[in-house]
Amino acid sequence: MSDVTTSYRFTARLLHWAIGLLIIAMILAGFAMLQEELPRSVRNTLFIFHKNAGILALVAVIVRLAYRALHTPPALPETVEPMQRRAAAVSHFALYALMIAMPIFGYVRVKAGGFPIESLDAWGVPSLVPRSDQLASLAKSAHYVGAIVISVVVLAHISAALYHALVLKDGVFQRMWFSASKAEK
């Protein structure tokens, strides 16, 4: 199943995999940077990566959503069961919502807490939220809960993709993989 009607366009695939790898790296860095047994220098590096990658991820997700609005994704094959279709729709909605909410929660936590976001600060972007320990604490809690939820949703997404690729072999995974070379740009 690699024809143009069933495969995602190259740009959609590139954005999908780049954002996916970035999100996974951020999840791993996010949980690692909280491990107090790590040297402070390592934790600081992870914090800097995590904050700045969050900004990059938010921009990339906005680009992806804009691209998706301009280029309708291919329909799922008719062989996909209705329950799987609903699960896919719900999980994709959850992923997009979390990929937007998580950087916002993180931004509010950092800026309201009085901390820098190095890339934005270097560009002279002013803080969009006031300094507030209460707001920072609320955003920190939302970001932490969101981290757990997005981790579960990402694992479910990966599991479903592998199930389609290795068990069902129904072409669903191949639609987003780069071997679907006949897709339009």
Side-chain angles (χ1 to χ4, degrees), residues 2 5 10 41 44 46 55 64 84 88 94 103 115 123 139 150 156 165 183:
S2 63
T5 61
F10 176 80
S41 61
N44 286 344
L46 291 171
I55 298 301
R64 183 165 180 201
Q84 287 179 342
F115 300 103
W123 296 330
I150 198 170

Side-chain angles (χ1 to χ4, degrees), residues 120-143:
L120 295 181
D121 294 347
W123 296 330
V125 177
S127 180
L128 302 174
V129 297
R131 173 78 175 87
S132 165
D133 290 336
Q134 185 177 12
L135 181 58
S137 179
L138 182 63
K140 180 180 179 180
S141 295
H143 194 70

Side-chain angles (χ1 to χ4, degrees), residues 53-93:
I55 298 301
L56 178 61
L58 180 59
V59 170
V61 168
I62 291 168
V63 168
R64 183 165 180 201
L65 285 170
Y67 184 85
R68 187 177 174 114
L70 296 172
H71 301 89
T72 304
L76 284 169
E78 291 182 18
T79 57
V80 175
E81 298 291 329
M83 183 59 107
Q84 287 179 342
R85 288 175 183 276
R86 284 190 290 280
V90 168
S91 68
H92 283 104
F93 177 81

